[in-house]
Amino acid sequence: MSIVTRFAPSPTGLLHIGGVRTALFSWLHARRHGGRFVLRIEDTDRERSTEAAVQVILDGMQWLGLSADEGPYYQTRRFDRYAEVLRKLLDEGKAYHCYCSKEELEQMRTEQMARKEKPRYDGRCRHRTAPVPGVQPVVRFKNPLEGEVVVDDQVHGRVVFQNAELDDLIIARADGTPTYNFCVVVDDSDMGITHVIRGDDHLNNTPRQMNMLQAMGFTPPVYAHVAMILGPDGAKLSKRHGAVSVLQYREEGFLPEALLNYLVRLGWSHGDQEIFTLQELIGLFDIRDVNKAASAFNPDKLLWVNQQHMMKAPLPYLAGVLREQLQRIGLDSDNQALLEGVVAGQRERCKTMKEMAENSRYFFVDQVGIDDKAGRKHLGGEGAATLARLETALAAIPEWTAPAVHAALNAVAAEISAALGKVAQPLRVALTGNTISPPIDATAALIGRERTLARLAAARAWAAAIA
């Protein structure tokens, strides 16, 4: 059997990390078994669905690299198909029109609760043959009255539901539009979905969907219901925890492979291994190994995972990401060697690519502003004389390289009988405006001869102005 999975988000809100993890599990399961992965947009809630939310889903899946083999399919483009199946169920007596008013249903609910019964539709229209004049009916699925539904869930194990506890679900509203549970089963059967991986908030829908599939003559898929992701405080994940658009993580400088690596570990593990490539995950992931307990989102752990991927990623790839981040803060460079050099020098010092861009501004501007505290400490007094010696020594370098800069620094330090730090730190403040940077010889090499000498001259002028 060829395995077919699907990711079926509703565009009624942002695609956040809970949905992304579900998509990832489904994608990995299909990829590991050489199957197909289907993307389906469940947009039947016309009032709440938006084109912007659809685009976020499409852009987010593309950024993450979770490519679909089929789709995207849109439920709103399949209404004719739903109507066809609906008519067939009505003709076969597997569904019926229900004429109960809202008032009648509310009274039914009140009486049941008074008797301490579970509120449920009692099937009073189940055998009605004559329509009620002036009432536009809904359509209900005729759920079996006896027996049980067994869900052999890949995560939760064997879960049993009694049909007597399941009422007759509305599958089409009074205006004729199909409902969520009905559309899902028609789609899953039509698209040949063999494995449904989704949040465990859908577990109670599963027996109803299985009964409908069997009534249509289809074999239900295999189900796997994964636990939700909680916030660090154990509460439901919210915006303050990280339940923001997945594209926000791109803006914040996270690598897509790092985000996927982190999310797959929320509920799944392979020994003590923490860092995975996507290819490794395809070979190792098994949905049956997913923990049934909820997992907590840890922002600090995500940052750590991101930095690990930054350390391992190819320099040309990271250079492209750095350029995107620089453009977000109004800077840019098409100098590939410079971009790669900055990445090489900064990636041990930064946890996100956004942080790298922010901390690397001085590589991509012509002039830097000098921090007053750092300038007064390192450029005043003896520092000014050191700057002059440095300017002379660096101007004399025949070939501008990091080793040549390092040799010039050593030579100046020897001249003034000082430790190398006494020479390096004034140069660092002159070049970057502050006291923190990658090794100063590599920093100067990347900044280049002309800009280095210009900044030394500017720093000497700054020191003279405060003298």
Side-chain angles (χ1 to χ4, degrees), residues 67-227:
S67 55
D69 301 299
E70 292 182 26
Y73 297 112
Y74 294 86
Q75 287 185 331
T76 50
R77 301 176 189 176
R78 289 174 47 79
F79 280 155
D80 288 347
R81 173 58 178 157
Y82 303 140
E84 177 188 347
V85 177
L86 200 63
R87 283 193 300 271
K88 189 170 185 291
L89 289 176
L90 286 167
D91 291 344
E92 294 175 350
K94 296 174 180 176
Y96 61 93
H97 289 111
C98 173
Y99 294 85
C100 294
S101 65
K102 288 183 180 180
E103 293 75 20
E104 192 174 355
L105 292 173
E106 187 58 38
Q107 183 180 353
M108 182 191 308
R109 176 184 176 86
T110 301
E111 291 172 355
Q112 288 169 336
M113 293 179 70
R115 296 192 298 267
K116 297 184 179 180
E117 297 174 359
K118 179 182 177 182
R120 57 195 298 275
Y121 182 68
D122 62 8
R124 62 182 61 183
C125 287
R126 194 176 176 107
H127 303 292
R128 184 190 293 272
T129 56
V132 176
V135 177
Q136 192 68 27
V138 299
V139 178
R140 290 184 183 270
F141 172 68
K142 193 177 285 186
N143 196 77
L145 298 175
E146 300 176 345
E148 61 186 24
V149 183
V150 178
V151 182
D152 287 316
D153 195 88
Q154 298 283 283
V155 175
H156 290 270
R158 190 173 189 266
V159 186
V160 180
F161 297 86
Q162 300 300 319
N163 276 318
E165 294 294 315
L166 305 175
D167 57 3
D168 293 346
L169 193 69
I170 295 175
I171 58 176
R173 302 175 184 88
D175 63 2
T177 58
T179 61
Y180 164 79
N181 279 291
F182 178 65
C183 294
V184 165
V185 298
V186 176
D187 291 343
D188 284 346
S189 59
D190 283 359
M191 297 172 190
I193 305 300
T194 64
H195 291 71
V196 171
I197 300 171
R198 59 189 180 187
D200 60 8
D201 54 327
H202 288 285
L203 183 55
N204 287 334
N205 289 328
T206 301
R208 304 172 187 275
Q209 294 176 5
M210 290 176 68
N211 281 339
M212 280 191 276
L213 283 163
Q214 289 166 340
M216 296 174 192
F218 298 113
T219 301
V222 176
Y223 292 93
H225 291 89
V226 298

Side-chain angles (χ1 to χ4, degrees), residues 5 24 69 83 135 190 201 244 272 278 304 309 363 366 390 404 439 462:
T5 65
L24 174 61
D69 301 299
V135 177
D190 283 359
D201 54 327
V244 295
D272 295 328
L278 264 184
W304 178 82
H309 278 271
F363 286 109
D366 291 329
L390 278 169
W462 187 93

Side-chain angles (χ1 to χ4, degrees), residues 118-360:
K118 179 182 177 182
R120 57 195 298 275
Y121 182 68
D122 62 8
R124 62 182 61 183
C125 287
R126 194 176 176 107
H127 303 292
R128 184 190 293 272
T129 56
V132 176
V135 177
Q136 192 68 27
V138 299
V139 178
R140 290 184 183 270
F141 172 68
K142 193 177 285 186
N143 196 77
L145 298 175
E146 300 176 345
E148 61 186 24
V149 183
V150 178
V151 182
D152 287 316
D153 195 88
Q154 298 283 283
V155 175
H156 290 270
R158 190 173 189 266
V159 186
V160 180
F161 297 86
Q162 300 300 319
N163 276 318
E165 294 294 315
L166 305 175
D167 57 3
D168 293 346
L169 193 69
I170 295 175
I171 58 176
R173 302 175 184 88
D175 63 2
T177 58
T179 61
Y180 164 79
N181 279 291
F182 178 65
C183 294
V184 165
V185 298
V186 176
D187 291 343
D188 284 346
S189 59
D190 283 359
M191 297 172 190
I193 305 300
T194 64
H195 291 71
V196 171
I197 300 171
R198 59 189 180 187
D200 60 8
D201 54 327
H202 288 285
L203 183 55
N204 287 334
N205 289 328
T206 301
R208 304 172 187 275
Q209 294 176 5
M210 290 176 68
N211 281 339
M212 280 191 276
L213 283 163
Q214 289 166 340
M216 296 174 192
F218 298 113
T219 301
V222 176
Y223 292 93
H225 291 89
V226 298
M228 68 174 64
I229 301 174
L230 303 176
D233 54 2
K236 183 179 178 181
L237 196 66
S238 64
K239 287 184 179 180
R240 65 191 172 89
H241 296 131
V244 295
S245 165
V246 64
L247 296 179
Q248 183 68 33
Y249 288 93
R250 180 175 66 179
E251 292 181 15
E252 292 300 319
F254 288 91
L255 300 178
E257 53 271 31
L259 182 60
L260 294 177
N261 185 157
Y262 176 73
L263 291 178
V264 80
R265 291 284 286 109
L266 292 180
W268 177 86
S269 62
H270 178 70
D272 295 328
Q273 186 172 345
E274 293 277 4
I275 304 303
F276 299 85
T277 65
L278 264 184
Q279 284 304 121
E280 285 178 316
L281 289 175
I282 290 171
L284 295 171
F285 181 79
D286 191 328
I287 190 63
R288 294 171 296 184
D289 293 336
V290 172
N291 196 314
K292 69 175 68 175
S295 302
F297 180 75
N298 184 333
D300 292 334
K301 184 64 176 289
L302 173 58
L303 286 168
W304 178 82
V305 171
N306 194 64
Q307 186 178 41
Q308 298 306 304
H309 278 271
M310 287 168 57
M311 294 295 297
K312 295 173 182 288
L315 288 178
Y317 164 62
L318 291 181
V321 181
L322 175 59
R323 186 177 184 186
E324 290 176 7
Q325 289 294 330
L326 287 169
Q327 290 169 344
R328 292 181 190 276
I329 59 174
L331 299 173
D332 197 5
S333 173
D334 59 2
N335 185 330
Q336 186 70 13
L338 173 59
L339 290 165
E340 290 185 18
V342 172
V343 169
Q346 293 281 46
R347 60 179 168 182
E348 290 185 14
R349 303 164 177 270
C350 304
K351 294 181 179 179
T352 69
M353 296 302 294
K354 179 179 180 179
E355 181 186 3
M356 184 184 293
E358 291 282 3
N359 292 351
S360 304

